[in-house]
Amino acid sequence: MQRREFITLLGGAAAGWPLAARAQQPSLPVIGYLESASQGQFADLIPAFRKGLSETGYIDGQNVRIEYRWAEGQYDRLPTLAAELVRGHATLIFTTALISAQAAKAVTTTIPIVFVSGPDPVQLGLVASLNRPGGNLTGVTLFTSTVAAKRLQLLRELLPAITTFAFIVNPSNTRADSDIQEIETAARALGQQIIVAKAGTDRDFETAFATLAQRQIQALVIGGDPFFNSQAQQLVALATHYAIPTIYPLREFAAVGGLMSYGSSVSDAYRQAGIYAGRILKGAKPAELPVMQPTKFELVINLKTAKTLGLTVPPSLLTRADEIIE
């Protein structure tokens, strides 16, 4: 064999070695990460999910691969994004809100789905029961029937003279009607009047707040919604501008200047969901993994914002706060 032919043959064989080696390597399981908001808006929660995965021995890029899909707050994109993950042969789908869990459930009955959901997953048909979910879904719920009443109680403790509250909800969210019913029930139990305002886009926020200010609303509850979460800074800025004392569902609102927040720890919920995802990748069945419920609720108070609004936070609230932002 001539030298040139030998080098060509050797070079061709060498080029084929990595391909052959890769072909012999087993493919990594794929987790489809379906997010209803935009990339970066919940960047601090992605590490929490990965931490849960790592606690079961799975590291992204080493023995598992995460494929991200972002709806950018456009909920009507979720069915298409969920279908993409199914067509891409996702091993498991992780969803970060009720509406994304519903989109994923609609396109597959076989691929395991792990969700983090605010409302009651049984009432809304995600699972058959909390203890025995059945089907291909399980996860973590942030739901508790006492949260709405507790937020109203906290506002009334801060402002004992108020008589009228407002509640802002996203009408595009499938849980909107149940949220309204829950808050109205809580208000009646406390003998309070509550006015419901709806906002489905960022342009609606200004209109909603201006209307509430005209009606001289004394306090406000912000509903739990992925789009609202992604617009935390705008909502907080409007509440400050119109000087409306407001309580929010997540700590992240208080961290960017909101007066108060009360709710379960979302970062811990994402970590627990990561643990469930890892267990399922190891062979556990979603139908047999009980839906986890919140065990700890966080009260966060921003004293700087209270001072801006001319409010004095009573010691009874300060002593119960899990975090005070000064």
Side-chain angles (χ1 to χ4, degrees):
M1 182 181 293
Q2 295 183 357
R3 181 174 180 272
R4 180 177 298 176
E5 293 174 339
F6 175 77
I7 292 175
T8 300
L9 178 62
L10 182 62
W17 291 338
L19 294 174
R22 285 196 296 269
Q24 293 173 359
Q25 293 176 350
S27 59
L28 299 181
V30 175
I31 294 176
Y33 193 112
L34 185 60
E35 171 62 73
S36 56
S38 61
Q39 186 174 6
Q41 290 173 339
F42 295 97
D44 58 324
L45 296 177
I46 295 175
F49 177 74
R50 288 176 172 170
K51 184 176 186 299
L53 272 176
S54 69
E55 291 178 26
T56 61
Y58 287 97
I59 307 297
D60 184 26
Q62 294 185 15
N63 56 357
V64 70
R65 181 164 55 90
I66 302 178
E67 287 281 344
Y68 296 92
R69 295 293 185 275
W70 313 92
E72 308 288 341
Q74 301 175 42
Y75 297 164
D76 57 351
R77 296 181 57 200
L78 285 167
T80 299
L81 297 176
E84 283 182 10
L85 293 173
V86 172
R87 288 196 302 270
H89 305 290
T91 313
L92 176 147
I93 297 175
F94 170 58
T95 67
T96 61
L98 165 69
I99 196 164
S100 52
Q102 290 173 322
K105 182 179 181 181
V107 295
T108 179
T109 58
T110 56
I111 297 175
I113 299 169
V114 176
F115 59 79
V116 171
S117 174
D120 183 352
V122 177
Q123 181 183 8
L124 295 172
L126 283 185
V127 296
S129 72
L130 296 180
N131 290 332
R132 300 282 295 183
N136 60 320
L137 285 85
T138 190
V140 186
T141 178
L142 306 178
F143 167 78
T144 173
S145 60
T146 62
V147 168
K150 185 65 176 180
R151 288 176 184 144
L152 291 181
Q153 289 171 358
L154 290 168
L155 273 178
R156 194 166 68 169
E157 189 170 346
L158 175 65
L159 303 162
I162 60 176
T163 58
T164 304
F165 297 86
F167 176 61
I168 293 183
V169 64
N170 184 352
S172 301
N173 196 320
T174 53
R175 62 184 268 190
D177 289 341
S178 61
D179 281 357
I180 292 171
Q181 182 179 7
E182 180 185 345
I183 199 82
E184 288 178 340
T185 300
R188 282 195 300 271
L190 294 172
Q192 302 288 330
Q193 179 184 1
I194 191 156
I195 295 171
V196 175
K198 297 180 179 181
T201 69
D202 54 359
R203 293 185 300 275
D204 294 336
F205 293 150
E206 178 66 46
T207 302
F209 272 89
T211 300
L212 295 177
Q214 288 176 349
R215 300 186 67 171
Q216 299 182 327
I217 292 299
Q218 298 166 299
L220 174 65
V221 178
I222 298 294
D225 180 80
F227 175 64
F228 287 2
N229 299 343
S230 69
Q231 303 297 315
Q233 290 185 331
Q234 183 183 0
L235 286 166
V236 167
L238 285 167
T240 303
H241 173 74
Y242 286 100
I244 302 177
T246 304
I247 189 166
Y248 304 88
L250 301 177
R251 177 200 175 277
E252 285 71 16
F253 287 88
V256 296
L259 174 62
M260 287 196 303
S261 68
Y262 180 78
S264 51
S265 172
V266 179
S267 61
D268 185 63
Y270 274 56
R271 184 184 69 84
Q272 295 289 351
I275 292 173
Y276 259 17
R279 290 179 61 183
I280 292 170
L281 291 178
K282 289 187 172 183
K285 296 179 180 179
E288 299 174 358
L289 291 176
V291 174
M292 288 181 278
Q293 301 176 66
T295 57
K296 183 179 185 301
F297 294 88
E298 301 173 325
L299 171 61
V300 182
I301 300 173
N302 191 314
L303 285 182
K304 183 178 179 180
T305 301
K307 183 178 180 180
T308 299
L309 294 171
L311 301 175
T312 300
V313 181
S316 59
L317 276 181
L318 293 175
T319 56
R320 300 204 311 274
D322 297 279
E323 182 179 356
I324 296 173
I325 299 173
E326 301 182 81

